[in-house]
């Protein structure tokens, strides 16, 4: 998968400089359109003509605004040596309207894992079984509901991958790089500037493997999309997924919450922040293909989105400068003034949470004593109180390669060290053309040419300093502590 250099989009300022931030905000909620499953429609069955008309399936019902995947056959099949044209569409789902124990309104959605003989008439199933692998004819099939039109044959492999690794959405990145989402799904509902953070609702689950068993599980997947007019296609810009399998001794619905993340939050080193303009929800009655069972039922109702707390703003324009080869000065901008900033850095590819982390109150930090010629990843986010933070900003940089000297730096002696206001470097006969005194922050305090066998510096205050000696063979660095 190709890697993108991070481009931080300049965000619209939420307030002027010095704006006071209040991290305690009230949730802003957007009901998912048709997410209460109150309105339903009945659709008629279809008929195939095989010598005589054969009803394929009875009528079925679906909630308004939602779709079941359609398996379409437009082909000529050979039946006992006779070519027969078929042009049929079969909804591949077993959906019911639940009116028992719903929390709000009159109904909820029930999606059940099924076998083909439960959705086809006996005559149609008998004929279909002749053309299907025997295992497929008796395989548990999950019911899938979406608020978009989907291509079932393309979508199923992706859903299976999501079910196998619900905590790893890297497969979404692959999809984003290679396809137009409109080839997989069209529709969803517009967000109209609403920036979601959490999808929540009510659910119940009955495992088809038996009472009290927790082998199978349902799944809900949210896909945030954005139409990019520059490339002329719809992009995936965020996602969230959650397995739902809690077994209760009652039939009552239980609350759930599922986090939604932008791709920038998952992989800030690869993707800039892009706000979704629409969202597609996918509900799956069975997500565990190893324990998938006929009769597993997923109940869901009262879906709504909770808006991201934007009070902590965004990190923008992360910049890197070098005051010395192993000193990196990083600065950034933010759309608000938070209580503090959290920074974390480490070698390229390190796992966040395992790097060097610190809290700062300014929009600049100098990283010292880095390894020459090494690639680093740098992350920064704003913190507002104990409950709100921004997404991570990101920068990648490589420290300069310090010239290699043929003379060991042990030739140069520093005394006294620790110093008491003044330090002398005995060059040991080494030809040095210049010397520079740096503060620990990377600030240049004094720079001078050198012509003798030693060099002296006055140290203005207590602390740690770095002295750089320039030679024809390379630069030498000496650390000095001033008491």
């Amino acid at each position: 998968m190709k890697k993108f250099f991070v481009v931080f989009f300049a965000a619209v300022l939420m307030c002027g400089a010095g704006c006071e931030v209040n991290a305690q905000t009230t949730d802003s909620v957007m009901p998912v359109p048709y997410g209460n499953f109150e309105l339903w429609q009945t659709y008629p069955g279809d008929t195939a003509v095989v010598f005589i008309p054969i009803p394929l399936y009875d009528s079925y019902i679906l909630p308004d605004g939602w779709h079941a995947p359609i398996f379409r056959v437009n082909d000529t099949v050979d039946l006992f040596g006779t070519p027969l044209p078929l042009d049929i569409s079969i909804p591949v789902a077993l959906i019911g309207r639940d009116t028992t124990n719903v929390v709000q309104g009159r109904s909820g959605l029930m999606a059940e894992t099924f076998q083909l003989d439960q959705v086809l008439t006996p005559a149609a199933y008998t004929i279909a079984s002749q053309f299907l692998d025997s295992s497929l004819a008796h395989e548990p099939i999950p019911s899938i509901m979406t608020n978009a039109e989907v291509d079932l044959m393309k979508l199923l492999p992706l859903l299976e991958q999501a079910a196998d690794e619900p905590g790893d959405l890297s497969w979404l990145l692959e999809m984003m790089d290679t396809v137009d989402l409109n080839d997989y799904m069209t529709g969803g509902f517009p967000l109209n500037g609403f920036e979601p953070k959490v999808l929540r609702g009510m659910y119940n689950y009955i495992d088809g493997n038996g009472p009290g068993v927790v082998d199978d599980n349902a799944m809900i997947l949210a896909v945030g999309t954005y139409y990019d007019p520059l490339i002329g296609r719809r992009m995936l810009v965020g996602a969230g997924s959650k397995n739902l399998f809690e077994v209760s001794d009652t039939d009552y619905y239980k609350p759930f919450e599922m986090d939604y993340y932008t791709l920038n939050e998952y992989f800030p080193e690869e993707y800039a922040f892009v706000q979704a303009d629409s969202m597609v929800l996918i509900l799956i009655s069975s997500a565990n293909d190893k324990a998938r069972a006929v009769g597993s039922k997923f109940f869901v109702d009262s879906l709504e989105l909770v808006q991201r707390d934007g009070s902590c703003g965004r990190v923008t324009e992360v910049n890197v400068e070098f005051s010395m080869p192993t000193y990196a000065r990083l600065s950034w901008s933010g759309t608000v003034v938070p209580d503090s900033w959290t920074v974390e850095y480490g070698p390229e590819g390190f796992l966040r949470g395992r790097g060097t982390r610190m809290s700062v109150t300014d929009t600049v930090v100098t990283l010292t004593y880095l390894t020459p010629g090494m690639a680093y990843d740098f992350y920064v986010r704003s913190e507002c109180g104990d409950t709100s933070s921004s997404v991570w900003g990101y920068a990648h940089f490589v420290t300069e390669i310090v010239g290699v000297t043929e003379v060991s730096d042990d030739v140069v002696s520093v005394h006294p060290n620790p110093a008491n206001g003044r330090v002398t470097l005995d060059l040991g006969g080494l030809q040095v053309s210049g010397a520079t005194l740096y503060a620990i922050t990377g600030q240049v305090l004094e720079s001078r040419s050198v012509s003798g066998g030693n060099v002296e510096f006055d140290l203005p205050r207590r602390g740690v300093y770095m002295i750089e000696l320039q030679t024809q063979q390379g630069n030498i660095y000496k650390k000095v502590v001033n008491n």
Side-chain angles (χ1 to χ4, degrees):
M1 181 184 67
K2 66 183 179 181
K3 293 195 53 101
F4 293 97
F5 289 104
V6 172
V7 178
F8 290 96
F9 289 0
V12 177
L13 290 179
M14 298 177 63
C15 59
C19 169
E20 292 292 327
V21 175
N22 181 6
Q24 305 296 326
T25 59
T26 303
D27 287 346
S28 178
V29 175
M30 174 184 178
V32 170
Y34 302 105
N36 55 8
F37 305 100
E38 293 296 291
L39 302 176
W40 291 68
Q41 292 190 41
T42 300
Y43 298 87
D46 202 352
T47 301
V49 177
V50 183
F51 300 120
I52 60 173
I54 297 178
L56 295 175
Y57 54 92
D58 298 326
S59 62
Y60 64 96
I61 61 171
L62 290 178
D64 283 2
W66 292 83
H67 306 274
I70 299 296
F71 181 71
R72 182 167 178 80
V73 178
N74 186 1
D75 201 355
T76 299
V77 299
D78 185 281
L79 182 62
F80 310 119
T82 303
L84 296 172
L86 285 182
D87 186 5
I88 58 175
S89 298
I90 302 175
V92 189
L94 185 56
I95 303 301
R97 183 175 186 175
D98 180 41
T99 58
T100 304
N101 297 322
V102 293
V103 180
Q104 295 179 354
R106 297 166 296 172
S107 64
L109 170 74
M110 186 279 295
E112 182 175 351
T113 302
F114 63 97
Q115 289 179 327
L116 282 178
D117 60 355
Q118 293 177 264
V119 297
L120 295 177
T121 62
Y125 179 75
T126 300
I127 294 175
S129 298
Q130 299 180 44
F131 303 101
L132 297 174
D133 182 272
S134 59
S135 62
L136 180 61
H138 300 284
E139 182 179 352
I141 302 173
S143 285
I144 301 174
M145 289 292 293
T146 71
N147 56 2
E149 298 280 359
V150 302
D151 186 317
L152 177 63
M153 303 310 292
K154 290 183 178 179
L155 189 64
L156 277 178
L158 297 175
L159 296 180
E160 290 177 357
Q161 192 170 358
D164 289 340
E165 301 179 90
D168 177 13
L169 294 181
S170 60
W171 57 276
L172 289 175
L173 306 185
E174 297 289 344
M175 185 171 72
M176 176 183 175
D177 275 354
T178 58
V179 306
D180 185 339
L181 279 183
N182 282 335
D183 292 337
Y184 285 76
M185 58 187 75
T186 58
F189 60 92
L191 294 174
N192 297 321
F194 190 92
E195 189 177 344
K197 174 59 180 172
V198 170
L199 172 71
R200 67 188 184 191
M202 306 296 295
Y203 89 101
N204 193 24
Y205 193 71
I206 298 175
D207 196 308
N209 291 292
V213 177
V214 195
D215 289 338
D216 202 357
N217 57 267
M219 184 179 188
I220 187 165
L221 176 68
V223 177
T225 71
Y226 169 76
Y227 181 77
D228 189 339
L230 296 178
I231 61 176
R233 69 178 176 93
R234 184 159 287 279
M235 302 166 52
L236 184 146
V237 296
S241 64
K242 190 177 185 69
N243 286 342
L244 298 168
F245 52 82
E246 179 185 350
V247 175
S248 172
D249 57 0
T250 72
D251 294 327
Y252 289 98
Y253 285 63
K254 300 168 283 290
F256 78 89
E257 289 192 351
M258 182 195 78
D259 290 328
Y260 168 85
Y261 297 99
T262 64
L263 290 184
N264 170 255
E265 291 177 274
Y266 274 119
F267 301 99
E269 64 274 18
E270 295 191 48
Y271 296 97
F273 170 79
V274 179
Q275 184 171 331
D277 59 24
S278 65
M279 177 170 284
V280 174
L281 299 182
I282 303 173
L283 313 176
I284 310 170
S285 65
S286 287
N288 189 341
D289 59 351
K290 297 181 178 61
R292 185 179 300 156
V294 174
S296 290
K297 298 180 180 180
F298 177 33
F299 302 84
V300 64
D301 195 15
S302 305
L303 297 176
E304 61 184 16
L305 293 172
V306 180
Q307 189 163 25
R308 181 186 305 279
D309 179 3
S311 64
C312 219
R314 299 198 181 284
V315 174
T316 59
E317 299 180 9
V318 182
N319 299 307
V320 185
E321 299 174 327
F322 293 97
S323 55
M324 291 195 309
T326 59
Y327 278 38
R329 182 180 186 273
L330 291 108
S331 59
W332 58 90
S333 302
T335 57
V336 301
V337 179
D339 297 328
S340 62
W341 308 87
T342 296
V343 302
E344 184 175 2
Y345 69 96
E348 179 181 25
F350 82 94
L351 295 177
R352 262 176 293 160
R354 299 184 181 180
T356 301
R357 181 173 288 199
M358 66 186 80
S359 178
V360 298
T361 56
D362 196 5
T363 57
V364 60
V365 64
T366 299
L367 309 181
T368 60
Y369 303 117
L370 302 174
T371 301
M374 176 175 282
Y376 285 87
D377 290 334
F378 175 85
Y379 299 89
V380 57
R381 73 181 183 191
S382 55
E383 306 286 353
C384 303
D386 297 326
T387 59
S388 179
S389 59
S390 72
V391 299
W392 290 100
Y394 171 79
H396 176 80
F397 64 90
V398 179
T399 56
E400 297 178 27
I401 299 177
V402 178
V404 178
T405 177
E406 298 176 358
V407 182
S408 170
D409 62 0
D410 292 339
V411 172
V412 178
S413 61
V414 181
H415 58 87
N417 194 11
N420 290 292
R422 187 172 181 83
V423 65
T424 300
L425 285 81
D426 187 340
L427 305 180
L430 184 65
Q431 296 298 311
V432 175
S433 59
T436 303
L437 176 67
Y438 293 93
I440 193 63
T441 61
Q443 178 186 3
V444 176
L445 299 179
E446 185 178 350
S447 185
R448 65 174 66 169
S449 58
V450 178
S451 58
N454 59 61
V455 60
E456 295 182 335
F457 283 106
D458 290 324
L459 307 177
R461 63 185 67 84
R462 295 178 59 183
V464 180
Y465 298 84
M466 181 71 76
I467 298 176
E468 176 189 43
L469 301 175
Q470 294 95 36
T471 76
Q472 290 184 345
Q473 294 79 25
N475 296 339
I476 292 176
Y477 294 89
K478 288 293 186 177
K479 183 171 69 172
V480 180
V481 178
N482 187 40
N483 289 333

